[in-house]
Amino acid sequence: MIVEVVAVGTEMLLGQIVNSNAAHIGAKLAERGFDAHYSVVVGDNHERLTETIRTAIDRADAVILTGGIGPTPDDLTREAICEATAREMAFNQAYATELRERWKSLGRDLPENNLRQAEYPEGGEHLPNPKGTAPGVFLEHEDKMIFALPGVPNEMYLLLEDHVLPRLVAKAGDEAALVNRVLRSWGKGESAVAEQLDDLYHSTTNPSIAYLASGAEIKIRLSAKADTVEAADRLIAPLEAEIRDRLGSLIFAVDDETIESVLQAMLIERGWTVGAAESMTSGSVASQLSAIPGASAVFRGAVIAYATDIKMGLLDVPRETIDTYGVVSPETAMAMADGAAATLGVDVAIAVTGSAGPDAQEHPAGTVCVAVRTPEDTRARVLRMPGDRERVRVYTTTAALQLARLAITGTWWQS
Amino acid sequence: MIVEVVAVGTEMLLGQIVNSNAAHIGAKLAERGFDAHYSVVVGDNHERLTETIRTAIDRADAVILTGGIGPTPDDLTREAICEATAREMAFNQAYATELRERWKSLGRDLPENNLRQAEYPEGGEHLPNPKGTAPGVFLEHEDKMIFALPGVPNEMYLLLEDHVLPRLVAKAGDEAALVNRVLRSWGKGESAVAEQLDDLYHSTTNPSIAYLASGAEIKIRLSAKADTVEAADRLIAPLEAEIRDRLGSLIFAVDDETIESVLQAMLIERGWTVGAAESMTSGSVASQLSAIPGASAVFRGAVIAYATDIKMGLLDVPRETIDTYGVVSPETAMAMADGAAATLGVDVAIAVTGSAGPDAQEHPAGTVCVAVRTPEDTRARVLRMPGDRERVRVYTTTAALQLARLAITGTWWQS
């Protein structure tokens, strides 16, 4: 099944917005085993949008449009779908009434323009949008599926999960159930992971195994098809168990879990708090630790010690440790972690010191030391990160969170 | 002049990489007044890539391809250009020799595959890539321009600036010189900025004025065409002066300067150091302050005080300030800034406290207090940020850096 993603909006062509929607949808499609051959961005122009939809219907089995379904005259996606599929526009009276009520409850009259959101191509249907006022649109046209979703990422995500992916899966599965499990691993590259699973990869087609690299993370997708979801789950279970057994602590999450959510859950379970001491990453680790709602239950704070004397002053790193081993050393990283635990009053402290470049001093750019203190002990590791300053900082931040996970679960040295 | 951007790479369709190249190129094209109607992503597939190039040549005056020019069999852009334009492949003997020498100097033999990078479509030319081994390609075909650039952003940026934009400008300008100046403003929305310049906008066509919104920043682009660059510069100068006069401290940078680079230069000029005290932004301000090379000359560190008792302990915020005014208050933000200045030993301290959501406590989500301490005084401002947790944090980080700029230049209250 081939799916084409079309993002609508002049602001993307002008570079005012990065088209991250396409990447999000692409990843979700790939996880479920759908193919994408093209992804297109087109501006808010009726003729070009219509032409783009025609082309997409022509060469794909399903088309997912994002953007252009709001209330303003610039929002042309509904009209363009009508024209591309030679349909009239229908009107959802119930939704129009709902819109009017909503505005009334705010003490205001519905602007006439906003009624455009009650329109949809004849033969199609509205997909409810719980986070916004623009409902999505779904239409089957000559055995092709067309979806129009909001451009606002958070609204789009919900409609994609609740309405688009299930319909695609149902259609692709020919009434059968397709179940995907994504095991997320960190600590080895794609080829090393693939090597460890090579015999499994070649000996099974249902479930099938696929690898997806995403930054430093390698995702292993298991896809099974069966008559029911339960039967597909039963096909996946033994393979998943075998892979988990082989990869051990490399696997850190499943499906939509993230390293931030996994860490947060681990800490809550243990009743532990967390903090950071950062030099090179300069706040990125702290920022990640508080990125998701509920962070204040475990995250207390951090000391960003960019200057050496702040490492000594606020983190009590002994001058002789720095003089003997250098600022970028496991010894200094461990002293920073221990100091942060004391200063911040936390159970787990993550410390990072390194050289991001481009100006390397005592060490080549990309040399990084990460230390993690837990109530059990404090350990450090030296890493070498490739790439430029920005990339080194991003990869180091991920590595720091992952090493914290390994330290907390006591699997630091097996990884 | 219409330009189409084509990004080549299956990893983008799979969502493993966000196509930020297209946004970067789109912004650069828009700044120079070129139009883009479509932006396409296509996978590493010879047939589909060829078809995409044909379509792009058909409907645009210039095509910029990114990616697919490396040495592996997956890299198909050169071949696809040949097929789409019915040309043979030529071989750059000089570059092949250079490649061999380079590998030899590393004590290794050049892998035969890598010689593919010496190939280019007949009639075209190589564009040197100082940051990588894959040279770009430029070709004029039936009055259309075709560029193939590396997919690695840092390599692509350079080739775009040095080889692509000048050629596009030269062609569009019909031998004339087109000069652009981009004035970057922060502090008012696009419509408010446009209103202040409305008479200028309508009374001048050369130079012309255009507005580009990019996050919280509004860019004002002045474009002048003349026989020479100097003559175009002379056309821009009085208009630029008038706009700067009207917008005053809203303008923070010109062309490729950023708020980070501007702040760093201001601090170096004054011999001042900087640090941060962050609650809600949790390290994002510190991370930005150290994002560019040379940061260690001015940036010393930060205290991330997510928990209230860390605000009191490490930043000496008096308990009565928090009890009387609340954690999210100008008074607490100012106390954090003063505390950070003392704790970190810095001249300028930026403090942020606020509620990012989704769980609002004493204040609605998006309520933010920023304080800046300079050697002159400490001031605070309350801001209300729209959007979700992530967006509130990003916009607040920008606001904090911008308010630091205003505080340092002593123009805080006029903005």
Side-chain angles (χ1 to χ4, degrees), chain A residues 13-16 23 26-27 36-39 41 48 52 154 213 282 286-287 290-291 300-302 304 306-307 309 388-389 393, chain B residues 13-16 23 26-27 36-39 41 48 52 154 213 282 286-287 290-291 299-302 304 306-307 309 388-389 393:
Chain A
L13 294 175
L14 294 174
Q16 294 173 356
H37 289 169
Y38 305 90
S39 164
V41 176
R48 289 192 284 272
T52 300
N154 283 339
S282 190
S287 181
S290 62
R300 287 180 44 78
I304 313 306
Y306 214 65
D309 66 284
D388 64 11
R389 186 177 176 92
R393 283 166 53 130
Chain B
L13 294 175
L14 294 174
Q16 295 173 355
H37 290 170
Y38 305 91
S39 164
V41 176
R48 289 192 284 273
T52 300
N154 283 340
S282 191
S287 180
S290 61
F299 176 64
R300 286 181 43 80
I304 313 305
Y306 214 65
D309 66 284
D388 64 10
R389 187 177 175 91
R393 283 166 53 130

Short mmCIF file of all heavy atoms in Angstrom, two decimals, chain A residues 13-16 23 26-27 36-39 41 48 52 154 213 282 286-287 290-291 300-302 304 306-307 309 388-389 393, chain B residues 13-16 23 26-27 36-39 41 48 52 154 213 282 286-287 290-291 299-302 304 306-307 309 388-389 393:
data_model
loop_
_atom_site.label_atom_id
_atom_site.label_comp_id
_atom_site.label_asym_id
_atom_site.label_seq_id
_atom_site.Cartn_x
_atom_site.Cartn_y
_atom_site.Cartn_z
N LEU A 13 6.87 26.77 2.14
CA LEU A 13 7.71 27.08 0.98
C LEU A 13 8.63 28.25 1.28
O LEU A 13 9.76 28.32 0.80
CB LEU A 13 6.84 27.40 -0.24
CG LEU A 13 6.00 26.24 -0.78
CD1 LEU A 13 5.09 26.73 -1.90
CD2 LEU A 13 6.90 25.12 -1.29
N LEU A 14 8.14 29.19 2.08
CA LEU A 14 8.94 30.36 2.45
C LEU A 14 9.95 30.04 3.55
O LEU A 14 10.72 30.90 3.96
CB LEU A 14 8.03 31.50 2.92
CG LEU A 14 7.08 32.11 1.88
CD1 LEU A 14 6.15 33.11 2.54
CD2 LEU A 14 7.88 32.77 0.77
N GLY A 15 9.90 28.81 4.07
CA GLY A 15 10.85 28.43 5.11
C GLY A 15 10.51 29.02 6.47
O GLY A 15 11.33 29.01 7.37
N GLN A 16 9.28 29.53 6.64
CA GLN A 16 8.91 30.08 7.94
C GLN A 16 8.57 28.96 8.91
O GLN A 16 8.59 29.13 10.13
CB GLN A 16 7.72 31.03 7.78
CG GLN A 16 8.10 32.26 6.97
CD GLN A 16 6.90 33.14 6.64
OE1 GLN A 16 5.77 32.81 6.95
NE2 GLN A 16 7.17 34.27 6.01
N ALA A 23 7.54 14.32 8.37
CA ALA A 23 8.43 13.35 9.02
C ALA A 23 7.65 12.51 10.03
O ALA A 23 7.81 11.28 10.11
CB ALA A 23 9.59 14.07 9.70
N GLY A 26 5.47 10.17 8.08
CA GLY A 26 6.33 9.18 7.42
C GLY A 26 6.78 8.10 8.38
O GLY A 26 6.77 6.91 8.05
N ALA A 27 7.16 8.50 9.58
CA ALA A 27 7.62 7.52 10.58
C ALA A 27 6.48 6.60 10.98
O ALA A 27 6.66 5.38 11.13
CB ALA A 27 8.18 8.25 11.80
N ALA A 36 6.02 5.00 1.17
CA ALA A 36 5.83 6.37 0.70
C ALA A 36 6.86 6.60 -0.39
O ALA A 36 8.04 6.32 -0.21
CB ALA A 36 6.02 7.36 1.84
N HIS A 37 6.42 7.08 -1.55
CA HIS A 37 7.34 7.33 -2.66
C HIS A 37 7.68 8.80 -2.81
O HIS A 37 8.76 9.16 -3.26
CB HIS A 37 6.75 6.81 -3.96
CG HIS A 37 6.70 5.32 -4.05
ND1 HIS A 37 6.03 4.64 -5.02
CD2 HIS A 37 7.25 4.36 -3.27
CE1 HIS A 37 6.17 3.34 -4.85
NE2 HIS A 37 6.90 3.15 -3.78
N TYR A 38 6.72 9.64 -2.45
CA TYR A 38 6.91 11.08 -2.57
C TYR A 38 6.29 11.77 -1.36
O TYR A 38 5.31 11.27 -0.78
CB TYR A 38 6.20 11.65 -3.80
CG TYR A 38 6.56 11.04 -5.11
CD1 TYR A 38 5.84 9.96 -5.60
CD2 TYR A 38 7.60 11.55 -5.86
CE1 TYR A 38 6.15 9.39 -6.82
CE2 TYR A 38 7.92 10.99 -7.09
CZ TYR A 38 7.19 9.91 -7.57
OH TYR A 38 7.50 9.36 -8.78
N SER A 39 6.80 12.92 -1.03
CA SER A 39 6.15 13.81 -0.08
C SER A 39 6.26 15.20 -0.67
O SER A 39 7.34 15.62 -1.11
CB SER A 39 6.87 13.72 1.27
OG SER A 39 6.52 14.79 2.09
N VAL A 41 5.25 19.49 -0.78
CA VAL A 41 4.74 20.71 -0.17
C VAL A 41 4.23 21.60 -1.28
O VAL A 41 4.92 21.80 -2.29
CB VAL A 41 5.83 21.46 0.62
CG1 VAL A 41 5.28 22.77 1.17
CG2 VAL A 41 6.39 20.60 1.74
N ARG A 48 -2.67 24.90 -8.22
CA ARG A 48 -1.54 24.00 -7.98
C ARG A 48 -1.89 22.92 -6.95
O ARG A 48 -1.43 21.79 -7.03
CB ARG A 48 -0.32 24.81 -7.54
CG ARG A 48 0.26 25.63 -8.67
CD ARG A 48 1.63 26.20 -8.32
NE ARG A 48 1.55 27.33 -7.42
CZ ARG A 48 1.41 28.61 -7.79
NH1 ARG A 48 1.31 28.91 -9.07
NH2 ARG A 48 1.37 29.57 -6.90
N THR A 52 -1.80 18.94 -7.60
CA THR A 52 -0.99 18.09 -6.72
C THR A 52 -1.83 16.92 -6.17
O THR A 52 -1.35 15.79 -6.09
CB THR A 52 -0.43 18.93 -5.55
OG1 THR A 52 0.38 19.97 -6.09
CG2 THR A 52 0.40 18.08 -4.60
N ASN A 154 -0.20 19.18 16.89
CA ASN A 154 -0.88 18.44 17.95
C ASN A 154 -2.28 17.99 17.56
O ASN A 154 -2.75 16.95 18.03
CB ASN A 154 -0.97 19.28 19.22
CG ASN A 154 0.36 19.29 19.93
OD1 ASN A 154 1.18 18.41 19.71
ND2 ASN A 154 0.57 20.29 20.76
N ALA A 213 16.55 3.59 11.60
CA ALA A 213 17.48 4.40 12.38
C ALA A 213 16.92 5.79 12.55
O ALA A 213 16.36 6.36 11.62
CB ALA A 213 18.83 4.48 11.68
N SER A 282 25.33 22.23 28.52
CA SER A 282 24.87 23.56 28.92
C SER A 282 23.35 23.71 29.05
O SER A 282 22.78 24.67 28.54
CB SER A 282 25.40 24.58 27.91
OG SER A 282 25.16 25.88 28.39
N ALA A 286 19.07 19.09 31.29
CA ALA A 286 18.04 19.59 32.20
C ALA A 286 16.75 19.87 31.44
O ALA A 286 15.65 19.56 31.91
CB ALA A 286 18.53 20.85 32.90
N SER A 287 16.89 20.45 30.27
CA SER A 287 15.73 20.78 29.46
C SER A 287 14.95 19.52 29.07
O SER A 287 13.73 19.49 29.14
CB SER A 287 16.21 21.54 28.22
OG SER A 287 15.13 21.91 27.42
N SER A 290 12.90 17.92 31.89
CA SER A 290 11.65 18.58 32.25
C SER A 290 10.76 18.79 31.04
O SER A 290 9.82 19.57 31.08
CB SER A 290 11.95 19.92 32.90
OG SER A 290 12.63 20.74 31.98
N ALA A 291 11.04 18.05 29.95
CA ALA A 291 10.31 18.31 28.70
C ALA A 291 8.87 17.82 28.75
O ALA A 291 8.01 18.36 28.07
CB ALA A 291 11.04 17.67 27.52
N ARG A 300 14.42 18.15 40.02
CA ARG A 300 14.55 19.28 40.94
C ARG A 300 15.33 20.45 40.36
O ARG A 300 15.01 21.60 40.63
CB ARG A 300 15.22 18.80 42.25
CG ARG A 300 14.25 17.96 43.11
CD ARG A 300 14.87 17.46 44.40
NE ARG A 300 15.64 18.44 45.13
CZ ARG A 300 15.13 19.42 45.88
NH1 ARG A 300 13.83 19.53 46.01
NH2 ARG A 300 15.93 20.25 46.51
N GLY A 301 16.34 20.18 39.59
CA GLY A 301 17.10 21.28 39.05
C GLY A 301 18.46 20.84 38.54
O GLY A 301 18.75 19.65 38.46
N ALA A 302 19.29 21.83 38.20
CA ALA A 302 20.60 21.52 37.63
C ALA A 302 21.56 22.68 37.87
O ALA A 302 21.13 23.81 38.09
CB ALA A 302 20.48 21.25 36.13
N ILE A 304 24.51 24.46 35.74
CA ILE A 304 25.23 24.55 34.48
C ILE A 304 26.56 25.22 34.79
O ILE A 304 26.61 26.42 35.04
CB ILE A 304 24.43 25.38 33.43
CG1 ILE A 304 22.97 24.93 33.39
CG2 ILE A 304 25.10 25.29 32.06
CD1 ILE A 304 22.74 23.47 33.16
N TYR A 306 29.65 26.02 33.18
CA TYR A 306 30.43 26.17 31.95
C TYR A 306 31.85 26.59 32.32
O TYR A 306 32.81 26.06 31.79
CB TYR A 306 29.74 27.22 31.07
CG TYR A 306 29.86 26.96 29.60
CD1 TYR A 306 29.26 25.85 29.02
CD2 TYR A 306 30.54 27.84 28.76
CE1 TYR A 306 29.36 25.61 27.65
CE2 TYR A 306 30.64 27.61 27.41
CZ TYR A 306 30.04 26.49 26.85
OH TYR A 306 30.15 26.27 25.49
N ALA A 307 31.97 27.53 33.23
CA ALA A 307 33.30 27.98 33.66
C ALA A 307 33.86 27.01 34.70
O ALA A 307 33.12 26.47 35.53
CB ALA A 307 33.20 29.39 34.24
N ASP A 309 35.69 27.49 37.34
CA ASP A 309 35.58 27.84 38.76
C ASP A 309 34.17 27.62 39.30
O ASP A 309 33.98 27.48 40.51
CB ASP A 309 36.07 29.29 39.01
CG ASP A 309 35.16 30.31 38.35
OD1 ASP A 309 35.25 30.46 37.12
OD2 ASP A 309 34.36 30.93 39.06
N ASP A 388 29.35 18.08 14.00
CA ASP A 388 29.63 19.45 14.40
C ASP A 388 29.10 19.74 15.81
O ASP A 388 28.50 18.88 16.46
CB ASP A 388 29.06 20.45 13.38
CG ASP A 388 27.54 20.37 13.30
OD1 ASP A 388 26.92 19.73 14.17
OD2 ASP A 388 26.97 20.96 12.38
N ARG A 389 29.33 20.96 16.26
CA ARG A 389 28.99 21.39 17.61
C ARG A 389 27.55 21.04 18.00
O ARG A 389 27.29 20.47 19.05
CB ARG A 389 29.20 22.91 17.69
CG ARG A 389 29.03 23.53 19.05
CD ARG A 389 29.35 25.03 18.96
NE ARG A 389 29.10 25.70 20.22
CZ ARG A 389 30.01 25.88 21.17
NH1 ARG A 389 31.24 25.43 20.98
NH2 ARG A 389 29.72 26.51 22.29
N ARG A 393 26.27 18.06 20.71
CA ARG A 393 25.45 18.38 21.87
C ARG A 393 24.16 17.57 21.91
O ARG A 393 23.76 17.07 22.96
CB ARG A 393 25.15 19.90 21.92
CG ARG A 393 26.36 20.68 22.41
CD ARG A 393 26.29 22.20 22.18
NE ARG A 393 25.11 22.81 22.69
CZ ARG A 393 25.09 23.91 23.47
NH1 ARG A 393 26.23 24.46 23.87
NH2 ARG A 393 23.96 24.44 23.85
N LEU B 13 11.47 10.24 3.71
CA LEU B 13 10.13 9.67 3.55
C LEU B 13 9.79 8.80 4.76
O LEU B 13 8.63 8.72 5.17
CB LEU B 13 10.05 8.84 2.27
CG LEU B 13 10.19 9.64 0.97
CD1 LEU B 13 10.21 8.69 -0.22
CD2 LEU B 13 9.04 10.63 0.82
N LEU B 14 10.79 8.14 5.31
CA LEU B 14 10.57 7.28 6.48
C LEU B 14 10.48 8.07 7.77
O LEU B 14 10.26 7.51 8.84
CB LEU B 14 11.72 6.26 6.61
CG LEU B 14 11.83 5.22 5.49
CD1 LEU B 14 13.09 4.38 5.68
CD2 LEU B 14 10.60 4.33 5.47
N GLY B 15 10.68 9.39 7.68
CA GLY B 15 10.59 10.23 8.87
C GLY B 15 11.79 10.10 9.79
O GLY B 15 11.74 10.52 10.93
N GLN B 16 12.87 9.52 9.29
CA GLN B 16 14.07 9.40 10.13
C GLN B 16 14.81 10.74 10.19
O GLN B 16 15.58 10.99 11.11
CB GLN B 16 14.99 8.31 9.58
CG GLN B 16 14.35 6.93 9.66
CD GLN B 16 15.16 5.85 8.97
OE1 GLN B 16 16.17 6.12 8.34
NE2 GLN B 16 14.70 4.62 9.08
N ALA B 23 13.35 24.05 4.20
CA ALA B 23 12.98 25.29 4.88
C ALA B 23 14.11 26.30 4.79
O ALA B 23 13.89 27.49 4.52
CB ALA B 23 12.63 25.00 6.34
N GLY B 26 14.21 27.54 1.27
CA GLY B 26 13.00 28.34 1.03
C GLY B 26 13.15 29.74 1.61
O GLY B 26 12.80 30.74 0.97
N ALA B 27 13.69 29.83 2.82
CA ALA B 27 13.85 31.13 3.46
C ALA B 27 14.86 31.99 2.69
O ALA B 27 14.65 33.19 2.49
CB ALA B 27 14.31 30.95 4.91
N ALA B 36 8.69 30.08 -4.88
CA ALA B 36 8.70 28.61 -4.87
C ALA B 36 7.26 28.15 -4.90
O ALA B 36 6.45 28.63 -4.11
CB ALA B 36 9.41 28.10 -3.62
N HIS B 37 6.91 27.28 -5.80
CA HIS B 37 5.53 26.79 -5.88
C HIS B 37 5.37 25.40 -5.27
O HIS B 37 4.31 25.06 -4.78
CB HIS B 37 5.07 26.75 -7.33
CG HIS B 37 4.87 28.11 -7.92
ND1 HIS B 37 4.66 28.32 -9.25
CD2 HIS B 37 4.83 29.34 -7.34
CE1 HIS B 37 4.49 29.62 -9.49
NE2 HIS B 37 4.61 30.24 -8.35
N TYR B 38 6.43 24.61 -5.35
CA TYR B 38 6.40 23.25 -4.81
C TYR B 38 7.74 22.95 -4.16
O TYR B 38 8.77 23.47 -4.56
CB TYR B 38 6.22 22.21 -5.92
CG TYR B 38 5.02 22.39 -6.80
CD1 TYR B 38 5.12 23.14 -7.97
CD2 TYR B 38 3.81 21.80 -6.48
CE1 TYR B 38 4.02 23.30 -8.80
CE2 TYR B 38 2.71 21.95 -7.31
CZ TYR B 38 2.82 22.70 -8.47
OH TYR B 38 1.74 22.86 -9.29
N SER B 39 7.70 22.04 -3.20
CA SER B 39 8.92 21.46 -2.66
C SER B 39 8.64 19.98 -2.52
O SER B 39 7.60 19.58 -1.99
CB SER B 39 9.23 22.10 -1.30
OG SER B 39 10.16 21.33 -0.61
N VAL B 41 9.89 15.82 -1.79
CA VAL B 41 10.84 14.82 -1.29
C VAL B 41 10.62 13.55 -2.08
O VAL B 41 9.48 13.12 -2.27
CB VAL B 41 10.60 14.53 0.21
CG1 VAL B 41 11.53 13.42 0.68
CG2 VAL B 41 10.79 15.78 1.04
N ARG B 48 11.80 7.23 -10.16
CA ARG B 48 10.98 8.29 -9.57
C ARG B 48 11.76 9.60 -9.44
O ARG B 48 11.21 10.69 -9.60
CB ARG B 48 10.44 7.84 -8.21
CG ARG B 48 9.37 6.77 -8.33
CD ARG B 48 8.64 6.53 -7.03
NE ARG B 48 9.41 5.78 -6.06
CZ ARG B 48 9.45 4.46 -5.98
NH1 ARG B 48 8.75 3.71 -6.84
NH2 ARG B 48 10.18 3.86 -5.08
N THR B 52 10.76 13.10 -11.18
CA THR B 52 10.62 14.30 -10.35
C THR B 52 11.45 15.46 -10.91
O THR B 52 10.99 16.61 -10.93
CB THR B 52 11.05 13.98 -8.90
OG1 THR B 52 10.22 12.94 -8.40
CG2 THR B 52 10.93 15.20 -8.00
N ASN B 154 25.30 21.40 6.77
CA ASN B 154 26.40 22.36 6.81
C ASN B 154 27.15 22.47 5.49
O ASN B 154 27.67 23.53 5.15
CB ASN B 154 27.39 21.99 7.91
CG ASN B 154 26.85 22.39 9.26
OD1 ASN B 154 25.95 23.24 9.33
ND2 ASN B 154 27.36 21.80 10.31
N ALA B 213 7.59 36.40 8.57
CA ALA B 213 7.48 36.03 9.98
C ALA B 213 8.20 34.71 10.20
O ALA B 213 8.09 33.79 9.39
CB ALA B 213 6.02 35.90 10.38
N SER B 282 14.10 25.71 32.07
CA SER B 282 14.88 24.55 32.49
C SER B 282 16.13 24.25 31.67
O SER B 282 16.35 23.11 31.27
CB SER B 282 13.96 23.32 32.47
OG SER B 282 14.60 22.24 33.11
N ALA B 286 20.22 28.79 28.97
CA ALA B 286 21.65 28.49 29.12
C ALA B 286 22.18 27.82 27.86
O ALA B 286 23.28 28.12 27.38
CB ALA B 286 21.88 27.59 30.33
N SER B 287 21.40 26.90 27.32
CA SER B 287 21.81 26.18 26.13
C SER B 287 22.00 27.13 24.95
O SER B 287 22.98 27.03 24.20
CB SER B 287 20.76 25.11 25.82
OG SER B 287 21.11 24.38 24.70
N SER B 290 25.16 29.32 25.05
CA SER B 290 26.42 28.66 24.73
C SER B 290 26.35 27.96 23.39
O SER B 290 27.18 27.10 23.08
CB SER B 290 26.77 27.65 25.82
OG SER B 290 25.76 26.67 25.90
N ALA B 291 25.36 28.30 22.57
CA ALA B 291 25.14 27.56 21.32
C ALA B 291 26.20 27.86 20.27
O ALA B 291 26.49 27.02 19.43
CB ALA B 291 23.75 27.86 20.76
N PHE B 299 29.96 33.43 28.65
CA PHE B 299 28.98 32.64 29.40
C PHE B 299 29.68 31.82 30.49
O PHE B 299 30.60 31.07 30.20
CB PHE B 299 28.23 31.71 28.45
CG PHE B 299 27.27 30.79 29.15
CD1 PHE B 299 26.17 31.30 29.84
CD2 PHE B 299 27.46 29.42 29.12
CE1 PHE B 299 25.29 30.45 30.50
CE2 PHE B 299 26.58 28.57 29.77
CZ PHE B 299 25.50 29.08 30.46
N ARG B 300 29.22 31.97 31.74
CA ARG B 300 29.86 31.25 32.84
C ARG B 300 29.04 30.06 33.33
O ARG B 300 29.59 29.03 33.71
CB ARG B 300 30.12 32.20 34.02
CG ARG B 300 31.28 33.16 33.73
CD ARG B 300 31.60 34.11 34.86
NE ARG B 300 31.59 33.52 36.17
CZ ARG B 300 32.59 32.82 36.71
NH1 ARG B 300 33.67 32.61 36.00
NH2 ARG B 300 32.49 32.34 37.92
N GLY B 301 27.73 30.17 33.34
CA GLY B 301 26.94 29.05 33.82
C GLY B 301 25.54 29.47 34.19
O GLY B 301 25.12 30.60 33.92
N ALA B 302 24.82 28.53 34.81
CA ALA B 302 23.42 28.80 35.15
C ALA B 302 22.99 27.92 36.31
O ALA B 302 23.60 26.89 36.58
CB ALA B 302 22.52 28.55 33.95
N ILE B 304 19.62 25.91 37.31
CA ILE B 304 18.28 25.50 36.91
C ILE B 304 17.54 25.14 38.20
O ILE B 304 17.80 24.11 38.81
CB ILE B 304 18.31 24.29 35.95
CG1 ILE B 304 19.35 24.51 34.84
CG2 ILE B 304 16.92 24.02 35.40
CD1 ILE B 304 19.19 25.77 34.05
N TYR B 306 14.27 24.24 39.34
CA TYR B 306 12.91 23.80 39.03
C TYR B 306 12.10 23.71 40.32
O TYR B 306 10.98 24.16 40.40
CB TYR B 306 12.99 22.44 38.33
CG TYR B 306 11.92 22.22 37.29
CD1 TYR B 306 11.87 23.00 36.13
CD2 TYR B 306 10.98 21.21 37.43
CE1 TYR B 306 10.90 22.79 35.17
CE2 TYR B 306 10.01 20.98 36.47
CZ TYR B 306 9.98 21.78 35.34
OH TYR B 306 9.00 21.56 34.39
N ALA B 307 12.71 23.14 41.35
CA ALA B 307 12.04 23.03 42.64
C ALA B 307 12.16 24.35 43.40
O ALA B 307 13.18 25.04 43.32
CB ALA B 307 12.66 21.89 43.46
N ASP B 309 12.51 25.01 46.56
CA ASP B 309 13.54 25.14 47.59
C ASP B 309 14.93 25.35 46.99
O ASP B 309 15.84 25.85 47.66
CB ASP B 309 13.53 23.93 48.54
CG ASP B 309 13.91 22.65 47.84
OD1 ASP B 309 13.08 22.10 47.10
OD2 ASP B 309 15.06 22.20 48.02
N ASP B 388 1.24 25.32 23.19
CA ASP B 388 1.46 24.20 24.11
C ASP B 388 2.80 24.32 24.83
O ASP B 388 3.56 25.26 24.62
CB ASP B 388 1.35 22.86 23.36
CG ASP B 388 2.45 22.72 22.32
OD1 ASP B 388 3.38 23.54 22.30
OD2 ASP B 388 2.37 21.79 21.51
N ARG B 389 3.05 23.37 25.73
CA ARG B 389 4.23 23.37 26.58
C ARG B 389 5.53 23.64 25.82
O ARG B 389 6.32 24.50 26.18
CB ARG B 389 4.31 21.99 27.27
CG ARG B 389 5.38 21.85 28.32
CD ARG B 389 5.28 20.45 28.95
NE ARG B 389 6.36 20.19 29.88
CZ ARG B 389 6.29 20.46 31.18
NH1 ARG B 389 5.20 21.00 31.68
NH2 ARG B 389 7.31 20.20 31.97
N ARG B 393 7.87 27.14 25.87
CA ARG B 393 9.28 27.13 26.26
C ARG B 393 10.17 27.75 25.20
O ARG B 393 11.10 28.51 25.50
CB ARG B 393 9.72 25.70 26.61
CG ARG B 393 9.21 25.30 28.00
CD ARG B 393 9.30 23.80 28.30
NE ARG B 393 10.60 23.22 28.09
CZ ARG B 393 11.25 22.47 28.98
NH1 ARG B 393 10.72 22.23 30.17
NH2 ARG B 393 12.40 21.94 28.70
#
